[in-house]
Amino acid sequence: MSQDQSFDVVIIGGGPGGYNAAIRAGQLGLKTAIVESRGVLGGTCLNVGCMPSKALLHASELFEAAQHEFKTIGIEVPAPTLNLVQMMKAKQDSVTALTKGIEFLMKKNKVTYFVGFGKIEGQGKVSVTAQDGSVQHLTTKNIVIATGSEPTPLPGVTVDQKQIVDSTGALSLPAVPKHLVVVGAGIIGLELGSVWRRLGAKVTVVEFLDRITPGMDTEVATGFQKILAKQGFAFKLGTKVTAAKTGTNGVTLSLEAAKGGNPETLEADVVLVAIGRRPFTQGLGLESVGITTDQRGFIPTNHFKTAAPGVWAIGDVITGPMLAHKAEEDAVAAIELIAGKAGHVDYDLVPSVVYTFPEVAWVGKTEDQLKAAGVQYKVGKFPFMANSRAKINHETDGFVKFLADARTDRVYGVHIMGPQAGEMIGEACVLMAFGGASEDLARICHPHPTRSEAVRQAAMGVEGWTMQA
Ligand SMILES: Cc1cc2nc3c(=O)[nH]c(=O)nc-3n(C[C@H](O)[C@H](O)[C@H](O)COP(=O)(O)OP(=O)(O)OC[C@H]3O[C@@H](n4cnc5c(N)ncnc54)[C@H](O)[C@@H]3O)c2cc1C
């Protein structure tokens, strides 16, 4: 059966890019449709990304605290045991509640939701093929591509979602592996590695580069790696995985030094391949409007406009940090441009967070970037060891680091490794969005006792008047 429908905007993809675009379009009075093939809204983030990983990080952190931390602070509980089935159910229940919430927001903003695979069929035309094969034809003034990304495969290593998994498989392992090998020391690998280490796995991280978390300030990354090693992570840096062989007893990985030579093998019960994500545009019909992707598969855009008139792209499918809040920023800006407003995103102010323990969060430039650019800068630092709230809570690992212009004091970057870093980075984003100086923050009253006082003390450090260390 087929039915014709016309819209101002048709959004393909129901992730943070797509659903936020739909909400903003609805708010601005545009007749809007969203097309999602997964059967539920929320995209990678809500279904197999941000949210389920944070549910497991939270639960596993409490499990580890109950095992080791409770006794120190005088809480005697019988040795806690893991009910993995219940932990996975709680995760899924939270995910379902969140995705239902997005469906509600579509209705609230008068957005028509089509369940099915969206294909561009020429300028202003989108077909939606449902699971049962039925097709609907939509016409529209604007198409917004928000089809997101998928895990990047590793040559020589085939994901079977049992012994060799990607992030999606690692969010639903049926049992705790004895030895989990994580290939890739990026954010996703370290977060999911943390989950399974806390639940009892030995975790080895194999990374091609000679450092972890590329993109993170090198000083912070070095400290972060030490903390993770203290927690039990083993690291094999500067090492590449060349092949994987599965058998009844597990997986044998073939490794080589990244610079060549030194072949060795590593045995694992489960291997998690987490080497990054790549844009997803399969079957989208880009050729029908003359759009070609770049070498890495991203859709080239100029202020979200693609090469085709009336076709826009946002989120993980275009260049920039592959993060949900970046997709959300893209979404709002693209829709505002469609509506004739002045949509804009400042990509220098997109924060990054690693939700391990401690968390690591940062915004703006790293010290490495400032050095490379020849910028004269000053540094202010403050350790959580000297922060009263962190000490009381026995959470003293980490520090805050401010980077500010040596002459004007304008803040270039803020880096926080410590408890709740992800929550605290927000004040740095606000400061930097207003073009603030370190002294602006240093002179703002912060509540006591909070970890955020460490942020203020680090800001004071730029001008050399840190008071509490
Ligand atoms: C394990 C993991 C943890 C993560 N944690 C975080 C985090 O803590 N914070 C953070 O900011 N980011 C995190 N991310 C990244 C985040 O999930 C992505 O950056 C974000 O989801 C990108 O949003 P998007 O809307 O561009 O794409 P997606 O969320 O990928 O959504 C795209 C949607 O489009 C649909 N689709 C694709 N093609 C079609 C088609 N032709 N027709 C219909 N539908 C289609 C897909 O089914 C999908 O649902 C994580 C990712 C992973 C994998």
Side-chain angles (χ1 to χ4, degrees):
M1 205 172 61
S2 132
Q3 179 188 347
D4 285 324
Q5 311 219 34
S6 62
F7 293 92
D8 293 319
V9 188
V10 170
I11 298 156
I12 307 178
Y19 75 71
N20 281 297
I23 292 168
R24 191 72 187 116
Q27 283 178 343
L28 293 175
L30 299 169
K31 191 179 174 208
T32 307
I34 190 164
V35 184
E36 169 58 60
S37 58
R38 192 184 286 272
V40 270
L41 292 169
T44 303
C45 180
L46 268 65
N47 292 287
V48 289
C50 329
M51 301 323 298
S53 62
K54 266 79 252 178
L56 292 182
L57 280 159
H58 176 65
S60 61
E61 197 174 314
L62 291 179
F63 180 64
E64 193 171 47
Q67 279 180 317
H68 306 294
E69 177 73 19
F70 280 15
K71 211 189 282 171
T72 358
I73 53 170
I75 304 171
E76 299 284 349
V77 287
T81 49
L82 175 65
N83 181 343
L84 189 58
V85 173
Q86 175 56 26
M87 197 179 277
M88 291 295 171
K89 182 181 176 300
K91 173 202 71 170
Q92 199 46 50
D93 288 349
S94 306
V95 166
T96 304
L98 289 170
T99 56
K100 287 244 155 59
I102 305 294
E103 254 185 70
F104 161 77
L105 289 173
M106 293 304 105
K107 285 195 189 112
K108 184 181 166 201
N109 289 286
K110 300 191 174 48
V111 175
T112 310
Y113 169 27
F114 290 92
V115 181
F117 195 85
K119 185 172 182 205
I120 303 172
E121 306 275 7
Q123 196 177 341
K125 290 185 195 149
V126 174
S127 66
V128 183
T129 306
Q131 284 244 307
D132 64 6
S134 60
V135 182
Q136 300 194 63
H137 295 279
L138 317 181
T139 56
T140 179
K141 291 185 192 132
N142 295 280
I143 297 169
V144 177
I145 302 171
T147 49
S149 61
E150 60 178 359
T152 305
L154 179 62
V157 182
T158 309
V159 168
D160 61 13
Q161 298 297 24
K162 289 192 174 76
Q163 288 175 295
I164 303 180
V165 297
D166 58 20
S167 56
T168 302
L171 288 166
S172 300
L173 293 180
V176 180
K178 275 207 217 64
H179 186 201
L180 172 71
V181 172
V182 179
V183 186
I187 296 181
I188 292 175
L190 295 179
E191 287 185 356
L192 294 174
S194 287
V195 166
W196 294 106
R197 185 200 58 70
R198 292 169 187 166
L199 299 182
K202 175 185 169 200
V203 177
T204 306
V205 180
V206 182
E207 164 62 51
F208 181 81
L209 300 174
D210 57 8
R211 58 161 293 166
I212 67 166
T213 47
M216 185 187 283
D217 182 274
T218 299
E219 183 190 17
V220 179
T222 308
F224 183 40
Q225 190 189 332
K226 282 195 191 127
I227 292 170
L228 294 176
K230 205 167 70 184
Q231 293 173 357
F233 271 90
F235 289 97
K236 282 180 100 51
L237 303 183
T239 305
K240 73 176 167 196
V241 174
T242 53
K245 207 165 141 231
T246 52
T248 43
N249 290 328
V251 188
T252 306
L253 286 176
S254 304
L255 310 180
E256 248 180 43
K259 291 182 182 128
N262 293 342
E264 57 173 316
T265 57
L266 182 64
E267 305 293 329
D269 300 287
V270 174
V271 173
L272 161 60
V273 180
I275 58 163
R277 295 182 62 80
R278 64 180 184 186
F280 180 80
T281 54
Q282 240 176 332
L284 188 57
L286 291 179
E287 62 291 344
S288 72
V289 281
I291 297 175
T292 42
T293 54
D294 72 11
Q295 277 175 337
R296 293 186 300 153
F298 290 101
I299 297 179
T301 51
N302 180 2
H303 291 84
F304 317 107
K305 281 185 188 149
T306 68
V311 183
W312 308 69
I314 58 172
D316 278 10
V317 81
I318 67 170
T319 53
M322 289 175 130
L323 292 168
H325 44 282
K326 179 267 189 186
E328 179 180 343
E329 293 306 293
D330 286 357
V332 171
I335 293 297
E336 290 187 348
L337 289 171
I338 287 172
K341 292 173 165 285
H344 172 71
V345 179
D346 186 344
Y347 290 104
D348 276 342
L349 292 182
V350 176
S352 296
V353 183
V354 191
Y355 293 86
T356 45
F357 192 87
E359 291 182 353
V360 185
W362 70 97
V363 62
K365 302 288 183 218
T366 62
E367 206 169 339
D368 320 67
Q369 286 171 326
L370 294 180
K371 276 189 191 139
V375 174
Q376 299 296 305
Y377 63 94
K378 283 191 189 172
V379 183
K381 260 195 250 174
F382 191 81
F384 280 101
M385 184 59 98
N387 171 266
S388 57
R389 186 69 191 274
K391 267 180 112 89
I392 287 287
N393 289 6
H394 307 277
E395 296 171 341
T396 51
D397 277 338
F399 59 91
V400 183
K401 170 164 151 178
F402 262 71
L403 301 167
D405 189 275
R407 198 173 52 83
T408 65
D409 194 28
R410 185 176 175 151
V411 175
Y412 286 130
V414 178
H415 304 264
I416 309 175
M417 173 165 58
Q420 311 274 315
E423 299 291 341
M424 290 190 286
I425 201 66
E427 74 168 308
C429 297
V430 174
L431 177 75
M432 290 173 66
F434 283 92
S438 76
E439 189 178 354
D440 291 324
L441 197 127
R443 293 198 180 274
I444 290 172
C445 181
H446 282 61
H448 174 76
T450 60
R451 302 154 181 113
S452 70
E453 287 173 287
V455 179
R456 184 188 187 190
Q457 293 288 325
M460 288 172 163
V462 174
E463 297 288 325
W465 62 292
T466 294
M467 292 168 64
Q468 290 162 7

